[in-house]
Amino acid sequence: MADSPAPTMFAIVTTNKEAVVGGMAPVFVACNDVERDRIAMWLSRITNAIVHDLHNGTVILTVNRS
Amino acid sequence: MSSASAAVNWNPMIVGFIAGFISRVLYLRSGQSHNPGYPSGYIIQIAIGVIAAMIGSSVIVSLIGKEFTAATFLTLAATQFFNVRTNERHTLEQEESLILVGRGAGYIEGIALTYEARNFLGMLVALATSVVTAWNLWLGMAAGLAFVILGEVFMAGPKIGELIDVEEAEVKFDKGSLLFVGPVMMMEVGLPDSRQRFLEDGLGVILKPRDTRGESALWNIAQRQAIAHQAAVAVGVQKDVGYPEQTPLCRMEMPKGTGLAGLAIIPVERNLEALIKAIRNTPVLESGKWSKMHNTKNKKEAARG
């Protein structure tokens, strides 16, 4: 519920492979920013996840678990 | 039956029943947001209201007729009304996952509580009216009217518009992806597509607390969820499954903590007046009602000038 969201990281989309190490979420590597945003949007629409930009070439997708 | 030979005075029961029933039905009409809004919902509430008014009004007649067993059974029947709250809460919780912008647990509890309280109020009005009517018919009618009006006045909870001011504010993005409504940072929007939606169609309002009560109401997370829900009900929201970032948000100005709140929404109907009116008409939730806090930052600023 929207009252107290507990976000879990669902996926990582990046153009900068070196910025992401390990972790529990799958990492999608894109060749440029446009492709990164496209992949992020598709994943978001499919999985109902929220996209957050970390401004280092990486965006993360989080899902709010109730 | 001891009272069978003596003529039973039905007046207390009739007048009490009418007063109690009116007290219940009046609120069904006035509490727009508290209503399911479909005929079956009304039928259930009216039926329960009839039973409540009957229980309240028949106690004094049974006591006068020395039917103490009947009076005891009536108090037993009254306990059945505790289920009203549970039923109403269940219905609204089921709805929660089916509506785009949830009411939030605090609002649901408030609505369920009101439903229960209204039935007991109907019962009390019926009882009090029938007691007075047993004494004098005309006085009883006047008292019934007075009790109904008194109940209406006391049960009309405060609206958030009495505690805060609502003003339009600009929706903008800062540092690339941070959504701002006026000075209030709402959230981080990662998708360029969603940012464009907010810039093109988004509406933003600032909620300014008038006093400490308004501020403590705004700090309550359930209260803000209720405001977001009412806002979405009034102007609609361009959102569907798969578009979670287009959910209307109501957030405090952080990290400054000035007590100011912002609300961003992508409405279907671009109507600022309707939005502001809906926010002002949101009921103040019980959980955030009486806790008074004093924002030391605001005090310092006020002292400075």
Side-chain angles (χ1 to χ4, degrees):
Chain A
M1 207 170 26
D3 272 0
S4 50
T8 31
M9 203 184 293
F10 165 75
I12 301 161
V13 189
T14 185
T15 52
N16 181 10
K17 212 173 165 183
E18 282 75 43
V20 187
V21 179
M24 54 178 184
V27 181
F28 298 84
V29 182
C31 58
N32 56 40
D33 283 3
V34 176
E35 196 196 345
R36 181 198 65 193
D37 288 339
R38 185 186 61 81
I39 294 173
M41 183 158 95
W42 278 42
L43 287 174
S44 161
R45 299 294 179 254
I46 295 163
T47 60
N48 205 17
I50 299 178
V51 181
H52 293 291
D53 198 339
L54 301 184
H55 294 288
N56 64 347
T58 306
V59 297
I60 61 167
L61 280 85
T62 60
V63 178
N64 285 335
R65 292 269 162 74
S66 55
Chain B
M1 277 175 59
S2 54
S3 59
S5 50
V8 179
N9 182 12
W10 292 105
N11 288 340
M13 195 167 168
I14 295 164
V15 177
F17 173 79
I18 291 170
F21 186 60
I22 287 175
S23 157
R24 180 72 193 98
V25 168
L26 269 185
Y27 199 71
L28 275 184
R29 184 184 53 80
S30 61
Q32 288 296 330
S33 61
H34 287 189
N35 259 307
Y38 42 82
S40 39
Y42 278 108
I43 294 296
I44 294 168
Q45 291 306 321
I46 287 173
I48 295 174
V50 166
I51 298 170
M54 233 173 82
I55 290 172
S57 59
S58 50
V59 167
I60 195 75
V61 177
S62 348
L63 285 179
I64 289 172
K66 295 202 172 60
E67 294 282 353
F68 296 114
T69 325
T72 317
F73 265 108
L74 289 172
T75 56
L76 262 179
T79 57
Q80 294 298 316
F81 284 86
F82 286 113
N83 284 334
V84 172
R85 180 179 359 174
T86 323
N87 286 343
E88 202 56 43
R89 193 199 294 128
H90 273 310
T91 314
L92 292 169
E93 273 172 359
Q94 291 283 319
E95 254 181 50
E96 193 76 343
S97 57
L98 305 172
I99 53 180
L100 286 174
V101 184
R103 289 182 176 90
Y107 196 16
I108 287 181
E109 201 54 44
I111 295 171
L113 202 71
T114 311
Y115 266 106
E116 188 185 72
R118 288 307 294 203
N119 282 313
F120 283 120
L121 182 77
M123 220 181 282
L124 277 179
V125 167
L127 176 65
T129 309
S130 62
V131 168
V132 181
T133 314
W135 186 39
N136 183 313
L137 176 62
W138 295 106
L139 209 63
M141 284 181 180
L145 193 68
F147 288 142
V148 168
I149 293 169
L150 266 179
E152 279 299 301
V153 171
F154 279 113
M155 289 295 285
K159 302 266 185 265
I160 201 83
E162 296 163 21
L163 306 179
I164 60 165
D165 289 318
V166 188
E167 288 166 20
E168 190 190 9
E170 188 199 0
V171 177
K172 58 179 187 283
F173 283 95
D174 197 14
K175 290 175 193 159
S177 62
L178 290 176
L179 174 64
F180 275 77
V181 172
V184 186
M185 200 268 278
M186 309 295 292
M187 64 167 164
E188 208 272 344
V189 183
L191 283 179
D193 198 52
S194 300
R195 288 203 285 270
Q196 205 185 341
R197 291 249 63 77
F198 267 106
L199 287 175
E200 280 176 12
D201 295 340
L203 269 181
V205 286
I206 286 287
L207 315 175
K208 282 183 185 165
R210 283 184 201 157
D211 50 12
T212 47
R213 269 186 70 192
E215 192 175 336
S216 59
L218 280 183
W219 279 111
N220 186 337
I221 190 167
Q223 180 69 64
R224 275 180 278 146
Q225 182 65 32
I227 291 173
H229 170 79
Q230 290 297 94
V233 167
V235 292
V237 55
Q238 290 182 29
K239 188 208 168 193
D240 202 357
V241 180
Y243 295 77
E245 67 275 359
Q246 296 186 18
T247 307
L249 277 181
C250 193
R251 292 283 180 267
M252 301 302 284
E253 187 181 12
M254 290 300 280
K256 282 187 199 156
T258 50
L260 220 64
L263 179 123
I265 186 169
I266 309 181
V268 176
E269 182 196 353
R270 203 179 166 78
N271 187 343
L272 188 74
E273 280 84 54
L275 176 68
I276 290 177
K277 196 174 162 224
I279 293 172
R280 291 174 59 85
N281 279 332
T282 308
V284 177
L285 299 186
E286 303 225 340
S287 46
K289 207 162 158 185
W290 295 118
S291 69
K292 281 196 178 181
M293 64 179 88
H294 298 279
N295 196 323
T296 43
K297 278 179 185 168
N298 282 352
K299 261 191 184 168
K300 273 178 206 159
E301 273 167 30
R304 252 182 260 139

